[in-house]
Amino acid sequence: MAIDSYRFVDFATRQVMKAWAARQEPGVIPFEPLARPLREGTVALLSTAGIARNDDLPFDQEGERRNPWWGDPSYRAIPLGTTEKDIKLYHLHIDPRFGEADLDVVLPMRLVEKTAPAIAERMRAERVDTAALVPV
């Protein structure tokens, strides 16, 4: 499936944005080792998928349609326990059906209860050296 990142922009803007993106150099991804064990910390998940609960304000898609160089900079808190039936996606450049059918596609909140234990079990079964997973 092709993703059209320029769906709501005019031809001239599309050309400028594509040229600008093509000139960008890949950057270094910063890595900072944890100062304490993960189990002693707090984790927050962020998503740029434009997720809002049905009982919250929608993101401003009309503003972005009028000015494709702008995007709604606000955020919505999505509490644990939120399910697909509780949300709507307001992102103009992704197909919302995937996230609305499976919230974990755009915000993996069930990671702790479902995915992380499965990954840990597989790593134990395969005897993966977790020290080798730390970037240098």
PDB file of all heavy atoms in Angstrom, residues 24-53:
ATOM      1  N   GLN A  24      17.599  16.435   2.928  1.00  0.00           N
ATOM      2  CA  GLN A  24      17.884  16.212   4.338  1.00  0.00           C
ATOM      3  C   GLN A  24      18.871  15.068   4.521  1.00  0.00           C
ATOM      4  O   GLN A  24      18.719  14.001   3.933  1.00  0.00           O
ATOM      5  CB  GLN A  24      16.593  15.903   5.106  1.00  0.00           C
ATOM      6  CG  GLN A  24      15.608  17.038   5.115  1.00  0.00           C
ATOM      7  CD  GLN A  24      16.201  18.299   5.715  1.00  0.00           C
ATOM      8  OE1 GLN A  24      16.640  18.317   6.850  1.00  0.00           O
ATOM      9  NE2 GLN A  24      16.227  19.357   4.932  1.00  0.00           N
ATOM     10  N   GLU A  25      19.879  15.296   5.323  1.00  0.00           N
ATOM     11  CA  GLU A  25      20.863  14.274   5.658  1.00  0.00           C
ATOM     12  C   GLU A  25      20.326  13.447   6.830  1.00  0.00           C
ATOM     13  O   GLU A  25      19.755  14.007   7.768  1.00  0.00           O
ATOM     14  CB  GLU A  25      22.181  14.928   6.089  1.00  0.00           C
ATOM     15  CG  GLU A  25      22.889  15.670   4.984  1.00  0.00           C
ATOM     16  CD  GLU A  25      23.579  14.721   4.022  1.00  0.00           C
ATOM     17  OE1 GLU A  25      24.016  13.631   4.450  1.00  0.00           O
ATOM     18  OE2 GLU A  25      23.663  15.068   2.829  1.00  0.00           O
ATOM     19  N   PRO A  26      20.525  12.130   6.787  1.00  0.00           N
ATOM     20  CA  PRO A  26      20.122  11.330   7.950  1.00  0.00           C
ATOM     21  C   PRO A  26      20.918  11.782   9.169  1.00  0.00           C
ATOM     22  O   PRO A  26      22.124  12.011   9.076  1.00  0.00           O
ATOM     23  CB  PRO A  26      20.481   9.896   7.564  1.00  0.00           C
ATOM     24  CG  PRO A  26      20.713   9.922   6.087  1.00  0.00           C
ATOM     25  CD  PRO A  26      21.075  11.329   5.712  1.00  0.00           C
ATOM     26  N   GLY A  27      20.255  11.931  10.287  1.00  0.00           N
ATOM     27  CA  GLY A  27      20.922  12.377  11.502  1.00  0.00           C
ATOM     28  C   GLY A  27      21.282  11.223  12.416  1.00  0.00           C
ATOM     29  O   GLY A  27      20.856  10.089  12.221  1.00  0.00           O
ATOM     30  N   VAL A  28      22.074  11.521  13.405  1.00  0.00           N
ATOM     31  CA  VAL A  28      22.440  10.541  14.413  1.00  0.00           C
ATOM     32  C   VAL A  28      21.285  10.440  15.404  1.00  0.00           C
ATOM     33  O   VAL A  28      20.751  11.457  15.855  1.00  0.00           O
ATOM     34  CB  VAL A  28      23.731  10.976  15.148  1.00  0.00           C
ATOM     35  CG1 VAL A  28      24.053  10.035  16.295  1.00  0.00           C
ATOM     36  CG2 VAL A  28      24.876  11.065  14.164  1.00  0.00           C
ATOM     37  N   ILE A  29      20.909   9.233  15.735  1.00  0.00           N
ATOM     38  CA  ILE A  29      19.850   9.029  16.720  1.00  0.00           C
ATOM     39  C   ILE A  29      20.504   9.058  18.098  1.00  0.00           C
ATOM     40  O   ILE A  29      21.389   8.253  18.389  1.00  0.00           O
ATOM     41  CB  ILE A  29      19.128   7.697  16.483  1.00  0.00           C
ATOM     42  CG1 ILE A  29      18.470   7.709  15.109  1.00  0.00           C
ATOM     43  CG2 ILE A  29      18.119   7.431  17.594  1.00  0.00           C
ATOM     44  CD1 ILE A  29      17.881   6.394  14.679  1.00  0.00           C
ATOM     45  N   PRO A  30      20.108  10.002  18.953  1.00  0.00           N
ATOM     46  CA  PRO A  30      20.745  10.091  20.271  1.00  0.00           C
ATOM     47  C   PRO A  30      20.372   8.895  21.137  1.00  0.00           C
ATOM     48  O   PRO A  30      19.252   8.405  21.092  1.00  0.00           O
ATOM     49  CB  PRO A  30      20.181  11.393  20.846  1.00  0.00           C
ATOM     50  CG  PRO A  30      18.906  11.613  20.122  1.00  0.00           C
ATOM     51  CD  PRO A  30      19.067  10.999  18.761  1.00  0.00           C
ATOM     52  N   PHE A  31      21.315   8.410  21.899  1.00  0.00           N
ATOM     53  CA  PHE A  31      21.070   7.319  22.834  1.00  0.00           C
ATOM     54  C   PHE A  31      21.682   7.675  24.166  1.00  0.00           C
ATOM     55  O   PHE A  31      22.844   8.066  24.240  1.00  0.00           O
ATOM     56  CB  PHE A  31      21.669   6.003  22.325  1.00  0.00           C
ATOM     57  CG  PHE A  31      21.532   4.885  23.324  1.00  0.00           C
ATOM     58  CD1 PHE A  31      20.305   4.253  23.496  1.00  0.00           C
ATOM     59  CD2 PHE A  31      22.599   4.508  24.106  1.00  0.00           C
ATOM     60  CE1 PHE A  31      20.162   3.245  24.426  1.00  0.00           C
ATOM     61  CE2 PHE A  31      22.459   3.497  25.046  1.00  0.00           C
ATOM     62  CZ  PHE A  31      21.241   2.861  25.199  1.00  0.00           C
ATOM     63  N   GLU A  32      20.921   7.558  25.197  1.00  0.00           N
ATOM     64  CA  GLU A  32      21.395   7.819  26.546  1.00  0.00           C
ATOM     65  C   GLU A  32      21.080   6.591  27.394  1.00  0.00           C
ATOM     66  O   GLU A  32      19.918   6.229  27.547  1.00  0.00           O
ATOM     67  CB  GLU A  32      20.691   9.055  27.118  1.00  0.00           C
ATOM     68  CG  GLU A  32      21.129   9.446  28.500  1.00  0.00           C
ATOM     69  CD  GLU A  32      22.582   9.921  28.548  1.00  0.00           C
ATOM     70  OE1 GLU A  32      23.063  10.469  27.551  1.00  0.00           O
ATOM     71  OE2 GLU A  32      23.213   9.737  29.601  1.00  0.00           O
ATOM     72  N   PRO A  33      22.085   5.917  27.923  1.00  0.00           N
ATOM     73  CA  PRO A  33      21.810   4.745  28.761  1.00  0.00           C
ATOM     74  C   PRO A  33      20.964   5.138  29.974  1.00  0.00           C
ATOM     75  O   PRO A  33      21.057   6.258  30.486  1.00  0.00           O
ATOM     76  CB  PRO A  33      23.195   4.282  29.210  1.00  0.00           C
ATOM     77  CG  PRO A  33      24.162   4.978  28.327  1.00  0.00           C
ATOM     78  CD  PRO A  33      23.493   6.209  27.797  1.00  0.00           C
ATOM     79  N   LEU A  34      20.136   4.217  30.408  1.00  0.00           N
ATOM     80  CA  LEU A  34      19.302   4.491  31.585  1.00  0.00           C
ATOM     81  C   LEU A  34      20.174   4.611  32.826  1.00  0.00           C
ATOM     82  O   LEU A  34      21.129   3.862  33.007  1.00  0.00           O
ATOM     83  CB  LEU A  34      18.289   3.364  31.790  1.00  0.00           C
ATOM     84  CG  LEU A  34      17.242   3.212  30.697  1.00  0.00           C
ATOM     85  CD1 LEU A  34      16.375   1.983  30.971  1.00  0.00           C
ATOM     86  CD2 LEU A  34      16.376   4.454  30.621  1.00  0.00           C
ATOM     87  N   ALA A  35      19.826   5.557  33.691  1.00  0.00           N
ATOM     88  CA  ALA A  35      20.580   5.776  34.926  1.00  0.00           C
ATOM     89  C   ALA A  35      20.172   4.783  36.002  1.00  0.00           C
ATOM     90  O   ALA A  35      20.902   4.586  36.972  1.00  0.00           O
ATOM     91  CB  ALA A  35      20.364   7.205  35.433  1.00  0.00           C
ATOM     92  N   ARG A  36      18.995   4.173  35.830  1.00  0.00           N
ATOM     93  CA  ARG A  36      18.515   3.175  36.790  1.00  0.00           C
ATOM     94  C   ARG A  36      17.731   2.116  36.014  1.00  0.00           C
ATOM     95  O   ARG A  36      17.379   2.327  34.861  1.00  0.00           O
ATOM     96  CB  ARG A  36      17.652   3.831  37.854  1.00  0.00           C
ATOM     97  CG  ARG A  36      16.455   4.538  37.286  1.00  0.00           C
ATOM     98  CD  ARG A  36      15.663   5.201  38.394  1.00  0.00           C
ATOM     99  NE  ARG A  36      14.488   5.822  37.824  1.00  0.00           N
ATOM    100  CZ  ARG A  36      14.014   6.979  38.183  1.00  0.00           C
ATOM    101  NH1 ARG A  36      14.601   7.654  39.134  1.00  0.00           N
ATOM    102  NH2 ARG A  36      12.947   7.471  37.606  1.00  0.00           N
ATOM    103  N   PRO A  37      17.426   0.997  36.638  1.00  0.00           N
ATOM    104  CA  PRO A  37      16.686  -0.048  35.925  1.00  0.00           C
ATOM    105  C   PRO A  37      15.317   0.457  35.448  1.00  0.00           C
ATOM    106  O   PRO A  37      14.676   1.283  36.110  1.00  0.00           O
ATOM    107  CB  PRO A  37      16.507  -1.148  36.972  1.00  0.00           C
ATOM    108  CG  PRO A  37      17.578  -0.903  37.978  1.00  0.00           C
ATOM    109  CD  PRO A  37      17.801   0.588  37.988  1.00  0.00           C
ATOM    110  N   LEU A  38      14.907  -0.026  34.308  1.00  0.00           N
ATOM    111  CA  LEU A  38      13.643   0.393  33.723  1.00  0.00           C
ATOM    112  C   LEU A  38      12.474   0.179  34.682  1.00  0.00           C
ATOM    113  O   LEU A  38      11.562   0.993  34.755  1.00  0.00           O
ATOM    114  CB  LEU A  38      13.401  -0.363  32.408  1.00  0.00           C
ATOM    115  CG  LEU A  38      12.152   0.003  31.628  1.00  0.00           C
ATOM    116  CD1 LEU A  38      12.150   1.485  31.268  1.00  0.00           C
ATOM    117  CD2 LEU A  38      12.051  -0.848  30.375  1.00  0.00           C
ATOM    118  N   ARG A  39      12.497  -0.909  35.452  1.00  0.00           N
ATOM    119  CA  ARG A  39      11.389  -1.204  36.372  1.00  0.00           C
ATOM    120  C   ARG A  39      11.235  -0.124  37.451  1.00  0.00           C
ATOM    121  O   ARG A  39      10.202  -0.025  38.087  1.00  0.00           O
ATOM    122  CB  ARG A  39      11.549  -2.587  36.982  1.00  0.00           C
ATOM    123  CG  ARG A  39      12.715  -2.716  37.928  1.00  0.00           C
ATOM    124  CD  ARG A  39      12.837  -4.132  38.512  1.00  0.00           C
ATOM    125  NE  ARG A  39      14.118  -4.334  39.116  1.00  0.00           N
ATOM    126  CZ  ARG A  39      15.210  -4.733  38.477  1.00  0.00           C
ATOM    127  NH1 ARG A  39      15.147  -4.995  37.198  1.00  0.00           N
ATOM    128  NH2 ARG A  39      16.345  -4.865  39.103  1.00  0.00           N
ATOM    129  N   GLU A  40      12.266   0.712  37.642  1.00  0.00           N
ATOM    130  CA  GLU A  40      12.197   1.791  38.628  1.00  0.00           C
ATOM    131  C   GLU A  40      11.781   3.119  37.992  1.00  0.00           C
ATOM    132  O   GLU A  40      11.723   4.134  38.679  1.00  0.00           O
ATOM    133  CB  GLU A  40      13.551   1.959  39.318  1.00  0.00           C
ATOM    134  CG  GLU A  40      13.961   0.762  40.151  1.00  0.00           C
ATOM    135  CD  GLU A  40      15.355   0.919  40.738  1.00  0.00           C
ATOM    136  OE1 GLU A  40      15.900   2.048  40.717  1.00  0.00           O
ATOM    137  OE2 GLU A  40      15.905  -0.096  41.203  1.00  0.00           O
ATOM    138  N   GLY A  41      11.520   3.120  36.720  1.00  0.00           N
ATOM    139  CA  GLY A  41      11.192   4.359  36.023  1.00  0.00           C
ATOM    140  C   GLY A  41       9.727   4.431  35.625  1.00  0.00           C
ATOM    141  O   GLY A  41       8.920   3.558  35.920  1.00  0.00           O
ATOM    142  N   THR A  42       9.409   5.505  34.958  1.00  0.00           N
ATOM    143  CA  THR A  42       8.076   5.719  34.396  1.00  0.00           C
ATOM    144  C   THR A  42       8.231   5.855  32.893  1.00  0.00           C
ATOM    145  O   THR A  42       9.150   6.523  32.425  1.00  0.00           O
ATOM    146  CB  THR A  42       7.447   7.012  34.965  1.00  0.00           C
ATOM    147  OG1 THR A  42       7.374   6.885  36.384  1.00  0.00           O
ATOM    148  CG2 THR A  42       6.067   7.248  34.403  1.00  0.00           C
ATOM    149  N   VAL A  43       7.339   5.241  32.162  1.00  0.00           N
ATOM    150  CA  VAL A  43       7.421   5.255  30.712  1.00  0.00           C
ATOM    151  C   VAL A  43       6.207   5.987  30.152  1.00  0.00           C
ATOM    152  O   VAL A  43       5.084   5.781  30.598  1.00  0.00           O
ATOM    153  CB  VAL A  43       7.460   3.818  30.148  1.00  0.00           C
ATOM    154  CG1 VAL A  43       7.421   3.819  28.639  1.00  0.00           C
ATOM    155  CG2 VAL A  43       8.697   3.089  30.652  1.00  0.00           C
ATOM    156  N   ALA A  44       6.452   6.846  29.184  1.00  0.00           N
ATOM    157  CA  ALA A  44       5.370   7.517  28.467  1.00  0.00           C
ATOM    158  C   ALA A  44       5.491   7.149  27.002  1.00  0.00           C
ATOM    159  O   ALA A  44       6.590   7.085  26.460  1.00  0.00           O
ATOM    160  CB  ALA A  44       5.469   9.030  28.642  1.00  0.00           C
ATOM    161  N   LEU A  45       4.378   6.884  26.373  1.00  0.00           N
ATOM    162  CA  LEU A  45       4.355   6.599  24.943  1.00  0.00           C
ATOM    163  C   LEU A  45       3.814   7.821  24.220  1.00  0.00           C
ATOM    164  O   LEU A  45       2.836   8.413  24.657  1.00  0.00           O
ATOM    165  CB  LEU A  45       3.458   5.389  24.643  1.00  0.00           C
ATOM    166  CG  LEU A  45       3.862   4.072  25.284  1.00  0.00           C
ATOM    167  CD1 LEU A  45       2.833   2.995  24.963  1.00  0.00           C
ATOM    168  CD2 LEU A  45       5.237   3.643  24.809  1.00  0.00           C
ATOM    169  N   LEU A  46       4.449   8.179  23.127  1.00  0.00           N
ATOM    170  CA  LEU A  46       4.003   9.304  22.308  1.00  0.00           C
ATOM    171  C   LEU A  46       3.666   8.780  20.918  1.00  0.00           C
ATOM    172  O   LEU A  46       4.320   7.878  20.416  1.00  0.00           O
ATOM    173  CB  LEU A  46       5.097  10.359  22.195  1.00  0.00           C
ATOM    174  CG  LEU A  46       5.607  10.942  23.493  1.00  0.00           C
ATOM    175  CD1 LEU A  46       6.753  11.902  23.221  1.00  0.00           C
ATOM    176  CD2 LEU A  46       4.506  11.646  24.235  1.00  0.00           C
ATOM    177  N   SER A  47       2.666   9.357  20.323  1.00  0.00           N
ATOM    178  CA  SER A  47       2.281   8.979  18.969  1.00  0.00           C
ATOM    179  C   SER A  47       1.993  10.251  18.183  1.00  0.00           C
ATOM    180  O   SER A  47       1.469  11.223  18.723  1.00  0.00           O
ATOM    181  CB  SER A  47       1.031   8.097  18.999  1.00  0.00           C
ATOM    182  OG  SER A  47       0.591   7.819  17.687  1.00  0.00           O
ATOM    183  N   THR A  48       2.321  10.235  16.916  1.00  0.00           N
ATOM    184  CA  THR A  48       2.012  11.365  16.048  1.00  0.00           C
ATOM    185  C   THR A  48       0.840  11.030  15.140  1.00  0.00           C
ATOM    186  O   THR A  48       0.647  11.669  14.109  1.00  0.00           O
ATOM    187  CB  THR A  48       3.237  11.748  15.196  1.00  0.00           C
ATOM    188  OG1 THR A  48       3.629  10.616  14.411  1.00  0.00           O
ATOM    189  CG2 THR A  48       4.385  12.214  16.073  1.00  0.00           C
ATOM    190  N   ALA A  49       0.035  10.051  15.526  1.00  0.00           N
ATOM    191  CA  ALA A  49      -1.067   9.578  14.682  1.00  0.00           C
ATOM    192  C   ALA A  49      -2.340  10.410  14.816  1.00  0.00           C
ATOM    193  O   ALA A  49      -3.322  10.118  14.157  1.00  0.00           O
ATOM    194  CB  ALA A  49      -1.370   8.116  14.988  1.00  0.00           C
ATOM    195  N   GLY A  50      -2.338  11.451  15.633  1.00  0.00           N
ATOM    196  CA  GLY A  50      -3.539  12.282  15.768  1.00  0.00           C
ATOM    197  C   GLY A  50      -4.672  11.540  16.462  1.00  0.00           C
ATOM    198  O   GLY A  50      -5.817  11.605  16.037  1.00  0.00           O
ATOM    199  N   ILE A  51      -4.357  10.851  17.551  1.00  0.00           N
ATOM    200  CA  ILE A  51      -5.352  10.058  18.281  1.00  0.00           C
ATOM    201  C   ILE A  51      -6.068  10.940  19.293  1.00  0.00           C
ATOM    202  O   ILE A  51      -5.433  11.651  20.064  1.00  0.00           O
ATOM    203  CB  ILE A  51      -4.680   8.909  19.057  1.00  0.00           C
ATOM    204  CG1 ILE A  51      -3.790   8.089  18.153  1.00  0.00           C
ATOM    205  CG2 ILE A  51      -5.717   8.044  19.762  1.00  0.00           C
ATOM    206  CD1 ILE A  51      -2.829   7.202  18.898  1.00  0.00           C
ATOM    207  N   ALA A  52      -7.379  10.867  19.293  1.00  0.00           N
ATOM    208  CA  ALA A  52      -8.172  11.562  20.314  1.00  0.00           C
ATOM    209  C   ALA A  52      -9.295  10.627  20.760  1.00  0.00           C
ATOM    210  O   ALA A  52      -9.824   9.853  19.962  1.00  0.00           O
ATOM    211  CB  ALA A  52      -8.756  12.855  19.767  1.00  0.00           C
ATOM    212  N   ARG A  53      -9.606  10.704  22.020  1.00  0.00           N
ATOM    213  CA  ARG A  53     -10.754   9.941  22.515  1.00  0.00           C
ATOM    214  C   ARG A  53     -12.031  10.562  21.958  1.00  0.00           C
ATOM    215  O   ARG A  53     -12.072  11.746  21.648  1.00  0.00           O
ATOM    216  CB  ARG A  53     -10.777   9.938  24.044  1.00  0.00           C
ATOM    217  CG  ARG A  53      -9.655   9.106  24.663  1.00  0.00           C
ATOM    218  CD  ARG A  53      -9.726   9.111  26.183  1.00  0.00           C
ATOM    219  NE  ARG A  53     -11.051   8.842  26.706  1.00  0.00           N
ATOM    220  CZ  ARG A  53     -11.520   7.613  26.985  1.00  0.00           C
ATOM    221  NH1 ARG A  53     -10.768   6.564  26.797  1.00  0.00           N
ATOM    222  NH2 ARG A  53     -12.735   7.464  27.464  1.00  0.00           N
TER     223      ARG A  53
END
